[in-house]
Amino acid sequence: MAFNLTSKLTQRFLPPLLLLVFTISLAEANTILKETRLVLYFQDFTAGPNISNIAVAGIAGKEWSFTQFGTIYVTDDAMTQGPKLTSPVVGRAQGIKVASALNGRNTLVLVSLVFTNLKYNGSTLELQGNSKNFEPVREVAVVAGTGKFRFARGYATFETFFLDPATSYAVIRCNVTVQHYHL
Ligand SMILES: *[C@@H]1O[C@H](CO)[C@@H](O)[C@H](O)[C@H]1NC(C)=O
Ligand SMILES: *[C@@H]1O[C@H](CO)[C@@H](O)[C@H](O)[C@H]1NC(C)=O
Ligand SMILES: *[C@@H]1O[C@H](CO)[C@@H](O)[C@H](O)[C@H]1NC(C)=O
């Protein structure tokens, strides 16, 4: 009896169920993930009139530096299309970096890429991860995004492209690979 009732229910509700599944897959088809790769350059000054990366807190009595555990930096680097300081600006890399390893070898990076160029104006990407200070290529995660990058996830690499210790000026190349909905 119970079995019969179930199979009747199945017969009755199966077509709407199928329709629901079909509708869901159509909705998914409309929001297919798209992959975007970007190559960006951060114009990074740790001293001088255009300072854009500054230690704001650290352990009392210790030198505040990127290799001293507990040091916190705030950054707002211009993000350019090419490596040159005069290259067109596409946005700003704004966030905080924390010397998070007791042995001074790793940094926790929390940076928003805030785009102002024509293509991505108003959109952002959120970078988060553990950056290995002494590796030529440091990799962090892209954990989220807004605007054209809604639901973004992926990864980003940092490479020191140019460094002039005399002027405390560095150019960091940031390659981003993200998957996001096609908006
Ligand atoms: C600081 O920025 C100004 C304006 O962009 C620029 O003219 C100047 O050359 C920069 N100074 C240094 C030391 O890079
Ligand atoms: C980006 O958006 C802002 C605010 O809507 C606008 O003022 C600015 O002109 C836009 N920039 C570009 C390059 O479209
Ligand atoms: C970043 O992109 C540039 C330009 O495509 C490429 O030459 C470089 O090898 C890339 N770096 C990494 C770590 O993938």
Side-chain angles (χ1 to χ4, degrees):
M1 181 70 174
F3 176 78
N4 276 346
L5 183 65
T6 313
S7 68
K8 264 189 194 142
L9 277 176
T10 310
Q11 270 166 30
R12 192 172 162 168
F13 288 107
L14 203 56
L17 256 180
L18 274 179
L19 192 67
L20 182 68
V21 170
F22 186 61
T23 313
I24 288 171
S25 43
L26 266 186
E28 274 170 0
N30 282 338
T31 51
I32 280 171
L33 282 173
K34 172 188 176 159
E35 186 165 292
T36 297
R37 286 166 187 261
L38 304 167
V39 179
L40 306 159
Y41 295 85
F42 299 171
Q43 305 293 333
D44 188 74
F45 291 89
T46 48
N50 296 333
I51 190 164
S52 61
N53 184 358
I54 183 165
V56 292
I59 294 174
K62 301 272 191 188
E63 185 201 359
W64 293 359
S65 78
F66 76 101
T67 53
Q68 170 55 55
F69 175 72
T71 309
I72 301 175
Y73 287 82
V74 177
T75 64
D76 181 0
D77 288 347
M79 207 158 70
T80 52
Q81 204 176 302
K84 289 203 180 117
L85 186 57
T86 51
S87 174
V89 172
V90 295
R92 309 217 45 113
Q94 300 175 336
I96 62 172
K97 292 171 191 168
V98 182
S100 57
L102 280 166
N103 66 8
R105 299 193 70 82
N106 302 356
T107 301
L108 171 69
V109 175
L110 298 166
V111 169
S112 305
L113 305 186
V114 184
F115 291 90
T116 52
N117 62 328
L118 193 59
K119 193 168 183 191
Y120 299 121
N121 195 14
S123 300
T124 63
L125 282 172
E126 298 304 317
L127 273 49
Q128 175 184 326
N130 191 278
S131 171
K132 295 184 178 75
N133 296 334
F134 301 103
E135 295 290 329
V137 179
R138 286 87 66 189
E139 182 172 328
V140 298
V142 176
V143 295
T146 66
K148 292 202 170 156
F149 294 119
R150 282 179 184 171
F151 294 110
R153 53 193 293 178
Y155 62 93
T157 57
F158 299 123
E159 294 162 277
T160 306
F161 189 82
F162 175 80
L163 176 65
D164 181 15
T167 54
S168 305
Y169 169 55
V171 178
I172 312 296
R173 179 162 64 195
C174 175
N175 292 9
V176 180
T177 302
V178 276
Q179 292 185 341
H180 55 99
Y181 286 112
H182 195 162
L183 298 171

